[in-house]
Every structure is written in structure tokens, then in C-alpha cells.
Amino acid sequence: MRSYRQYCSLAKALDVVGDRWTLLVVRELLLRGSARYTDLRDGLPGIATNLLAERLRELEEAGLVVREQAPPPVATTLYRLTPRGEELKVAVHALARWGAPLMVDDPGDDAFRGHWLAFPAEILLTDRTPDRAPVALEVRAGDAPVVLETGDGGVRLRPGPAERPDAVMSGEPRLVLGTLMGKLGLDEARERGLSYDGDPRVLGRLRPAS
Amino acid sequence: MRSYRQYCSLAKALDVVGDRWTLLVVRELLLRGSARYTDLRDGLPGIATNLLAERLRELEEAGLVVREQAPPPVATTLYRLTPRGEELKVAVHALARWGAPLMVDDPGDDAFRGHWLAFPAEILLTDRTPDRAPVALEVRAGDAPVVLETGDGGVRLRPGPAERPDAVMSGEPRLVLGTLMGKLGLDEARERGLSYDGDPRVLGRLRPAS
DNA sequence: CAGCATCCGCTTTGATACTG
DNA sequence: CAGTATCAAAGCGGATGCTG
């Protein structure tokens, strides 16, 4: 990216991460921890492969990403955020939180990946009864199932499927999200096509903090 | 901006504010409250005038900016953030905070405007002795003087000059910033060309929180 | 002069094909 | 799998022109 040439910390930040796709690459690395090139490309539907390569090179030069050689027998290149790159989490979360209201619009034929639910889950949801035994909710909305688990008073997401989920939810991403966020009652969501199996109280336990 | 077409709140946020210059336009409106077209152009050195017009139109369509007709005798158009636009403050601050370490690099011939100091001041500085009488520090670093004032335990910036400043500081932006942030001692900063008149304890009172 | 719109050369991006 | 190469289209930057 061409520099803004302004002695302002916001402009300096955007000089580094203001390019198209850059923050979405950071998103994938924040969500995945470390990832192969192909994983990243799969998590960034729509990106041109040359752009992904270019962004990764720029992020590496800026010191936000390191590439590591995975040990045999895998023997592939893994990308991972440096501590400096991890520090973007606060800003990325703030932007994601700001963008959350835009999710009520019709997704149309937007792409979706299950692990993207980690932002809403970790930013917006809280565990209403953290003293009780932890629960697990398996969610099947995108390509692969994921599990929402309570823990430390919050909600975390990990790749699924769950071993013994307390409930399983599946359906269109917007239905799943609306139900999780409490915008949609379970009955109404079911009418619109959501499938929910298991203890309905699991859903009541994971509720938006605000 | 072309949409990323991803059903993810970060991608949705970037669909709206991810274009080049957009967040810097938001910065100016956050810092100024409301501004004329010409004020914005002056606060965004390097922007092409057609791009500023285009960004303002896009921000208006997205519901982040409104244009108001200033009452006579001024009779000019004023731009202002909507509440939804103001909500970007959290994300903008987070990005600016992340970018702050990049300010130690040589600014070269970067442009500078005094009111840009508001980010470091409000984000990073705190009033060490909030119970004592408020103090005012006039800073002359860019085009026009600004005043840093204590209040509510924090530090605020307003357009200067101050009426009766407790101290006046002037010099290169990097020197001013380094001194404010405590990276540079007053003596060393003076050796490098900083000018400081008034009570040195004012400087000790405004200190980085972290 | 404030507030844009138009034009044009250049850079970035997007889509696809191709390679070690 | 992990990219590079190519090329058309879109976006940007800079200059200039127009209108109240």
C-alpha cells in the first residue's frame, strides 16, 4: 500500500493493515492460530491466490506474520501471527463488533465458514450461569461443524464436531446467528427452518452480554 | 468498494469502511465534531478532492455521515457523524493505539496537523494528580497551536492557543510526541531542539497510563 | 473561494492459467 | 500443495475545469 504520509498513528496503522484483504488475512490467523496456505485460501473465499501470497509477504515484512516449517511428516509451510500481529486482536474485535449489526441484512449468496462464528461468540456472548457444569453446543451452519463451549464465564468456539454435545443446532447462518444472539426465539427460528436438538436451556445460557 | 461477500461481521464492517481514506475521513469528523469540506481537505493532506467527495457521499449513503446546512450568515455545508458513525470511535481508537509504536520511526516529510495529537492524548495519557487544579499545556507542533487540558482524570485536546497556559511546548512533532509519551526526557528533548516554557511539573502530570 | 465533477495516466485488484 | 505469471478491469492520484 502506498503510504498516507501522515504523522498520525491511525494513518500509520492503515499504512500496514489498510490494504484490501489484509485484515481478513489477520482474521483467519487470529481464528486459526496457525494455518497452511490452502487453509487460508479456503477461509478467504473470493481472494485471488496472487493477492493472498502478496499479503502474506507484506505481513511478513511488516513483522506481523512468520512462516514456519512444519515438522515432518507434514513438512509444509505454516503461517502464524507474531505477538505484534496478535496485538491487532483488540482492533479487529472492535471492528467486528461494529459490523455485527450489519449481519441482520439478507446475506444473499455471501460465503460462510463456521469458524467465523467465533467473533460473535467471543465478543458478544456470555455464560449466564458460569458456576454450573460447562455445556457444549454443536453448530452446523457452514462447511464444517463447530462447537460453542462455555468456560471462564465466556463462550469459546472450536472446530467440531462435539463428542457429547448438550444440543445440536443447524440451519442457515442467519437463522443460527439470530437465534444465538437472542434476536429470534427458538420457536420462530424453527418455523423458519432451524433445526435444534437437545436441551433448550443451553441456548438460554449463552446470551448476549449487552 | 466492492463487497467481500462474506457473511462475517469483520468483512461487513470493511465493506463499509475498508476503502482507502474512509477511516481517515471518519478520524477527521471524530476529531472535529463537524467540519466543512475545506476543513476536511485540509485535515487530509494527500487526498484527491474527487475522492473526498466520493467518500463523503458513500459515508452518507451508509448512514455514518449527515450533511447539514449551516445557518446564515455562514451558509455552508457542514459534515457530521451520525450516532452510528460515532460508534466507530472504539475501533478507530483501537487501531490508532496499535499504530502508536510506529510513530517512533522517522516521520520523514510526513504531513502533520496539531489536532491529530488528540488520539495519543486521549488514548494514552492520563492525569496523574486529578485532584489538583487543572492545568493547560499549549503545544505548537503543526500548523496551528492546540491545548492539552486535564479534566475528569484524563487529558483532552482542543484548538489553541490557550489563554493562560501553564506551559508552552513547541518543536518537531516527533520531539513533542516523544516528550509527551515519556520516551524522551525534557533535557534530552531540549538538546534536540524542543522548546519548553513554563512549569516542568505540568509534563510530569500528563503521563502514559500503560 | 467553497464544493465538487471530469478527464487521464498509473497502480492495484480479480480471474484464470500455469508450474515446481 | 503452494504458490507464480499474465492480463483485463477497477480504483486511485493528480490536474484541471465548472458552478454558485
Side-chain angles (χ1 to χ4, degrees), chain B:
Chain B
M1 154 167 284
R2 198 190 153 115
S3 169
Y4 286 108
R5 320 217 62 182
Q6 295 185 0
Y7 193 59
C8 155
S9 62
L10 178 66
K12 291 297 174 193
L14 292 174
D15 279 349
V16 179
V17 298
D19 255 327
R20 188 158 167 79
W21 290 106
T22 302
L23 276 182
L24 295 185
V25 173
V26 171
R27 171 195 75 189
E28 286 302 305
L29 291 169
L30 281 173
L31 294 178
R32 292 174 188 267
S34 82
R36 296 177 303 170
Y37 188 89
T38 317
D39 299 330
L40 292 174
R41 198 175 47 189
D42 177 71
L44 294 163
I47 198 173
T49 174
N50 58 337
L51 274 190
L52 176 54
E54 191 175 329
R55 293 293 176 267
L56 285 170
R57 197 178 334 112
E58 292 162 350
L59 285 170
E60 196 181 359
E61 283 170 14
L64 312 199
V65 160
V66 282
R67 64 179 77 200
E68 325 171 314
Q69 220 53 34
V74 198
T76 182
T77 317
L78 290 181
Y79 294 90
R80 170 184 294 279
L81 288 174
T82 63
R84 174 67 177 154
E86 290 271 351
E87 284 174 19
L88 275 169
K89 190 190 280 188
V90 183
V92 165
H93 278 189
L95 273 170
R97 185 188 288 264
W98 184 86
L102 303 170
M103 305 284 281
V104 302
D105 300 348
D106 185 354
D109 55 352
D110 285 2
F112 180 75
R113 298 291 183 269
H115 66 279
W116 293 347
L117 283 173
F119 279 141
E122 296 181 7
I123 298 173
L124 300 171
L125 292 182
T126 185
D127 181 0
R128 287 300 172 120
T129 53
D131 297 332
R132 303 178 99 167
V135 292
L137 169 64
E138 183 173 317
V139 178
R140 301 171 187 162
D143 46 333
V146 293
V147 187
L148 289 176
E149 289 176 319
T150 59
D152 297 329
V155 178
R156 294 295 157 82
L157 180 140
R158 62 171 183 80
E163 292 173 17
R164 288 190 53 248
D166 300 280
V168 177
M169 190 185 211
S170 73
E172 289 298 308
R174 189 164 52 152
L175 279 174
V176 167
L177 199 63
T179 310
L180 280 172
M181 293 304 140
K183 301 283 183 192
L184 219 56
L186 186 49
D187 292 340
E188 194 184 350
R190 275 178 160 142
E191 277 173 26
R192 297 202 199 171
L194 187 86
S195 149
Y196 188 97
D197 273 322
D199 192 338
R201 287 174 301 181
V202 172
L203 204 55
R205 185 165 164 181
L206 315 176
R207 273 295 135 96
S210 50

Side-chain angles (χ1 to χ4, degrees), chain A residues 15-69:
Chain A
D15 280 348
V16 179
V17 298
D19 255 329
R20 189 158 165 79
W21 289 107
T22 301
L23 276 181
L24 295 185
V25 174
V26 171
R27 171 195 74 191
E28 285 303 307
L29 290 169
L30 280 172
L31 293 178
R32 291 174 188 267
S34 83
R36 297 175 302 170
Y37 189 89
T38 316
D39 299 329
L40 292 174
R41 199 174 46 187
D42 177 72
L44 293 162
I47 198 173
T49 174
N50 59 336
L51 274 190
L52 176 54
E54 190 176 330
R55 293 292 176 267
L56 285 170
R57 197 177 335 112
E58 292 161 350
L59 284 169
E60 194 180 2
E61 285 170 14
L64 312 199
V65 160
V66 282
R67 64 179 77 199
E68 325 171 312
Q69 221 53 34

Side-chain angles (χ1 to χ4, degrees), chain A residues 70-82:
Chain A
V74 196
T76 182
T77 316
L78 289 181
Y79 294 90
R80 172 183 292 278
L81 288 174
T82 63

Side-chain angles (χ1 to χ4, degrees), chain A residues 20 52 59 73 80 85 90 100 118 121 127 137 144 147 156 168 205:
Chain A
R20 189 158 165 79
L52 176 54
L59 284 169
R80 172 183 292 278
V90 183
D127 182 2
L137 169 64
V147 187
R156 295 295 157 82
V168 176
R205 185 166 165 179

